[in-house]
Amino acid sequence: MDYFIELLFSGLTRGSIYALIALGYTMVYGIIGLINFAHGEIYMIGAFTSFVVATVLSIYGFPLLAIIVLAGVCAAIWSSAYGYTIEKMAYKPLRHAPRLSPLISAIGMSIFLQNYVLLAQTSDFLPFPELIPDFAFMEPYAHIVGSSDLMILVTTAVVMVALTILIKFTRIGKAMRATAQDRTMAMLVGINVDRIISATFIIGSSLAAIGGLLIASHIGQINFYIGFLAGIKAFTAAVLGGIGSIPGAVIGSLILGLTESFATGYISSDYEDVFAFSLLVLILIFKPSGILGKAETKKV
Amino acid sequence: MFPLKEFKKSLLVALWFVALTFPLMVIQVDPIERIVNWRWNNMFFVAIGSFVLSVVGKAFFARKEQQLSKKRTAQNEEVQDTIFQRVLREPRYLWPISLACLAFAIAFPFLFSTYQTNVMTTALMYVVLGLGLNIVVGLAGLLDLGYVAFYAVGAYSYALLNHHFDLGFWTVLPVGGILAAFFGIILGFPVLRLRGDYLAIVTLGFGEIIRLVLENWNEFSMGPSGIANIDRPGLFGLDLSLNMSILYLYYLMIFFLIITIFVVNRLQDSRLGRAWVALREDEIACQAMGIDKTKTKLVAFSLGAFWAGIIGVVFAAKTTFVNPASFTFLESAIILSIVVLGGMGSIVGVICGAFILILLPEYLRALSEFRMLAFGGILVLMMVFRPEGLISNVRRVYQFKKNDRGEK
């Protein structure tokens, strides 16, 4: 039973990290219909920025709490700056181009950013400083749930709630939903669509950066290549839940995380990713537009 | 004169990039020795580089804008084709040009070194791969991000059959192609109901599944270490030296390429090809016209996969070694980029795209570590400045020549 609960928690942890990244995918897709392949790289840059900031601060002897907060804030700021710049440079000129061109541009951007970090920093795995301490009250459960797992779950839950409030109740959230529904109409009623798209990229990128910080301190090492697989998995999760749908992305991520965790725990760890992708194929065969996606009926 | 306002803007851009790249370019930390290395000179490079690029980019965009407005005023004229497109349509020019290309291709190994020939063979392989994917993406409009899976099926079928049963290249060539086509149908069935991006992610997942199975199923595929010592293709039982076999493979690829171009060209104008284009443009209208959607899509998938399988066999024979690392998603992305960069659906475009994308990293080797950085950057720039691809496909149209009375 302990083993089961352990797997359950590790699956939830995984799932929440995927969710933080998948939200960026799904929001961008919902608004401009683009698979933002560079999003995984944004997450990687978030992890690297927090690594640099945290290490510098710890060398200069800052207290742990200040390090955590500053690393998180810096990662979020820089990642969103990167997201904003990428959108302006690589996607905005292609707004009216044929459908596949922005996708190629995104793939190019992803290769570019990977190699940029590889050249600017290093190709080796870097040890990430342990930011999350072992809580004393977690002592009796430490063999089932680690403190960092708990931290990840709590942070993700808080972020999700904040995001829901932002999207449901604020002005910008309303504008975002309107733009996602119909861009031309949104423009007609006076929404600055360009600004909304930028805001979407910024929000998505900062979520990914928080994900980057959490997972890096959980696993304990980073590398310029971590963004790729995480990005693909998160995108899979977003599609699983129905791309464009925000609760769908969260549900899809949790399902993906749990599947991976249980499959590795009970069957074999070699085929972890195979299970993830097989699950995707299976679900899409029976529900072609994802779990919460709307089946689009086309009028003729 | 360069206006002051633009100058200020470029300065701001430079400042923005300095701030953007600050944590990663300037600071480098050594977490074990606990040393912070401030690299201020990098900041200087970033500032100057982004300033210059911004000025150049602005000038470029201004010129493009000017051209566009000029085009808009000339709207009454017929839609202007580029010189290139007009040359392509005119059989009078097309034949001599293709013959010249062919002559050059045949003479190539004698003009350049063996290394160059080898590189060229790789480029030709990608041309054929691009043309195969072009059937699926360019003509039928099905976005396939896992094309490399079929390439892997071809390569592994030759590697395994050769390793276990000593089968030769020519025997396995059709087998590899048919196996890949079979996998294409297997993948095709479940994804038929999916649209656009759902299709893309499922094909991506399929590609990854194939690669991961090859990597982990040690008894079957020998895992990540791969299969070595695969036979090179034979020529009527002759024993070829290394140089000769490179030459042989090169001519073999030229031969395959010509066949592929011929087949794809004929396919485009066939009933099937037009059904693909119709399916791409409007699925519902297409069904109303009595086109069998399932069959047409499956044929597109399996034909595309067939070419990939064939080239996979050639790949295994060329490198004499296969392992799962050759079949990553990046490979699929590169092949897709070839198709899109060249201009979807256009054969000449795909050929140009393949040469650019495969030869570019090869000749950028002088820049060694900046190679992939430049590759990614160029991909973005190409798309920003020519989103429709290098050569956009010209639809076949009937042309009515003016008759004597001056009527159309």
Side-chain angles (χ1 to χ4, degrees), chain A residues 29 56 58 78 81-82 85 94 97 101 108 112 115-116 119-121 228 235 239 243 270 273 284-285 288-289, chain B residues 16 19-21 24 27-29 34 39 190 193-194 197-198 201-202 212 216 329 344 370 372-373 376 380 383 387:
Chain A
Y29 188 90
V56 168
S58 78
W78 258 283
Y82 272 96
T85 315
L94 292 171
S101 304
F112 181 85
N115 286 281
Y116 155 70
L119 292 173
Q121 294 284 316
F228 176 72
F235 182 57
V239 172
I243 193 152
D270 289 345
D273 301 341
L284 286 186
I285 288 172
S289 41
Chain B
W16 171 256
L20 192 65
T21 53
L24 295 181
I27 309 173
Q28 193 178 35
V29 287
R34 300 183 73 74
R39 298 171 296 178
R193 289 170 61 202
L194 304 176
D197 304 291
Y198 290 96
I201 189 70
V202 171
L212 289 165
N216 289 310
F329 170 69
M344 283 212 291
F370 295 103
M372 286 313 277
L373 188 80
V380 174
M383 282 299 113

Side-chain angles (χ1 to χ4, degrees), chain B residues 73 83 93 104 121 174 291 300 369 393:
Chain B
T73 52
I83 297 174
Y93 302 121
F104 177 71
T121 312
I291 291 168
E369 47 192 5
N393 193 21

Side-chain angles (χ1 to χ4, degrees), chain B residues 108 112-121 250 363:
Chain B
F108 188 85
F112 297 94
S113 66
T114 319
Y115 170 73
Q116 302 286 355
T117 314
N118 219 352
V119 170
M120 213 46 167
T121 312
Y250 174 76
Y363 292 113

Side-chain angles (χ1 to χ4, degrees), chain B residues 244-290:
Chain B
M244 280 304 280
S245 65
I246 287 173
L247 205 64
Y248 177 50
L249 254 176
Y250 174 76
Y251 284 121
L252 211 60
M253 271 321 299
I254 297 228
F255 174 66
F256 280 142
L257 179 61
I258 292 172
I259 292 181
T260 315
I261 291 177
F262 177 74
V263 171
V264 173
N265 201 11
R266 298 295 294 165
L267 266 178
Q268 259 182 8
D269 295 337
S270 73
R271 192 187 157 79
L272 188 63
R274 280 176 295 149
W276 282 332
V277 174
L279 205 61
R280 177 186 76 192
E281 299 296 331
D282 192 330
E283 224 166 78
I284 297 173
C286 184
Q287 277 175 300
M289 296 297 290

